[in-house]
Amino acid sequence: MRRERLPNSPIVYYCEKKEEKAEWVLFLHAAFVDHQMYEAQTACLKKVNLLLPDIIGHGESVDTKKGDSLYKMSDWIKEILDREGIEKIHVAGVSLGAVLAQDFANHYPKRVKSLACFGGYDINHFDVRMQKENGGAQMRMMLKALISIKWFAEENKKISACTRNAQEAFYRLNLRFPKKSFRYLATLNRMVNVCKAEGRSYPLFIGCGEYDVPMERKAVEMWAESEPGTFVKIFEGAGHCVNMDVPQAFNAALEAFWQGSLSV
């Protein structure tokens, strides 16, 4: 996989062009890990070209300067597409990646071929009470990280995945997360309830794991109700990071979605 650094930004991204005429897929990872959480996708998805950035403050995207912000990710992604000559792309994200995927779609809808979000919520119509509850849970986790990243990673893996292999993979990636990068996550609310999308020109696929927290399941149900015709899937045997817990089912569902054979 080719490693690139986007000029005049902190963003490092990875590309794999498998076929000249193949469609492109952008994978956006969860918080506290990096693009390697999609290892099971990069190894098994053979019919699409892949684009995987490390989100600011994560992985190798840590060489930042004053003014760099999570809020700039959509613009940086657009610059990556321009640089790589990609006109339209399938966008998929898990957890934090689902938020950033939507933010990119809000800013650059004409560059989106399809949108798939897992373990996320509708950032354009996020319930205020849920937002407060979610923010409180995140704050409690951050306090653990300030005391010990090891402790934080140990606790975080339990709510991020449910299978042993996925938990250990998440833990190893989480250990690399620098404490100073928490400041970038503080701007996340700038993306929530600021755009009122009026219909989409691309298909939408949302879902979560059956063992994810109840609030996530409720968020998916509310989102599906607000956008009739959305493809919805609850992944059996999966927790929050469905792509890591049940990679075969995740890959098969995405391929069916991209090919137009997934049922609502």
Side-chain angles (χ1 to χ4, degrees):
M1 190 169 284
R2 173 165 54 91
R3 177 189 182 278
E4 295 287 343
R5 170 77 182 266
L6 180 66
N8 303 312
S9 86
I11 304 303
V12 172
Y13 65 94
Y14 296 81
C15 279
E16 186 167 3
K17 193 171 186 178
K18 300 184 178 182
E19 294 182 24
E20 186 65 35
K21 294 184 178 180
E23 295 183 330
W24 281 90
V25 175
L26 168 68
F27 279 117
L28 296 169
H29 63 78
F32 314 119
V33 290
D34 59 38
H35 75 280
Q36 294 177 87
M37 76 171 288
Y38 288 111
E39 184 178 13
Q41 284 66 57
T42 57
C44 298
L45 294 174
K46 303 295 186 183
K47 298 180 180 180
V48 290
N49 297 328
L50 302 172
L51 180 62
L52 298 96
D54 280 342
I55 294 167
I56 183 174
H58 298 70
E60 295 189 64
S61 297
V62 292
D63 185 13
T64 58
K65 64 180 185 299
K66 186 176 180 180
D68 286 340
S69 166
L70 187 69
Y71 192 67
K72 293 184 177 180
M73 276 303 302
S74 289
D75 292 336
W76 287 328
I77 292 170
K78 187 260 185 187
E79 289 177 24
I80 292 172
L81 299 190
D82 291 343
R83 189 169 189 246
E84 296 293 333
I86 303 169
E87 183 59 32
K88 298 188 78 169
I89 194 166
H90 296 287
V91 184
V94 172
S95 194
L96 172 63
V99 174
L100 295 176
Q102 293 174 76
D103 189 65
F104 176 75
N106 281 342
H107 284 86
Y108 301 103
K110 292 182 179 179
R111 307 300 291 270
V112 178
K113 197 169 185 67
S114 72
L115 178 63
C117 299
F118 308 97
Y121 50 85
D122 180 2
I123 67 170
N124 295 328
H125 307 91
F126 193 31
D127 183 87
V128 175
R129 287 171 297 179
M130 274 191 172
Q131 191 173 1
K132 289 181 179 179
E133 183 180 344
N134 185 57
Q138 290 178 344
M139 183 60 67
R140 290 190 291 273
M141 290 299 292
M142 287 181 187
L143 289 174
K144 291 180 180 179
L146 293 176
I147 297 170
S148 167
I149 282 290
K150 258 191 172 180
W151 181 30
F152 171 65
E154 185 66 37
E155 293 300 307
N156 202 17
K157 76 177 187 182
K158 298 173 187 176
I159 60 174
S160 298
C162 67
T163 62
R164 185 167 183 174
N165 287 343
Q167 285 185 345
E168 291 310 307
F170 194 96
Y171 175 77
R172 289 193 298 271
L173 293 173
N174 196 162
L175 285 177
R176 304 173 190 173
F177 182 76
K179 289 183 181 180
K180 66 179 183 179
S181 290
F182 274 107
R183 67 181 185 267
Y184 298 115
L185 299 177
T187 61
L188 194 60
N189 283 341
R190 290 186 62 187
M191 304 178 192
V192 178
N193 293 332
V194 294
C195 289
K196 301 299 179 185
E198 297 181 2
R200 302 181 189 272
S201 58
Y202 48 83
L204 173 64
F205 180 17
I206 62 176
C208 66
E210 67 170 324
Y211 299 125
D212 206 338
V213 295
M215 184 178 69
E216 175 55 40
R217 183 76 169 258
K218 180 64 176 176
V220 169
E221 292 171 353
M222 290 173 65
W223 193 353
E225 288 175 6
S226 69
E227 294 199 52
T230 296
F231 297 92
V232 183
K233 183 173 178 64
I234 306 302
F235 289 84
E236 295 180 2
H240 189 59
C241 295
V242 293
N243 70 298
M244 300 179 76
D245 273 329
V246 289
Q248 289 183 325
F250 179 83
N251 295 350
L254 273 184
E255 288 184 309
F257 174 58
W258 296 329
Q259 294 165 8
S261 58
L262 190 68
S263 300
V264 176

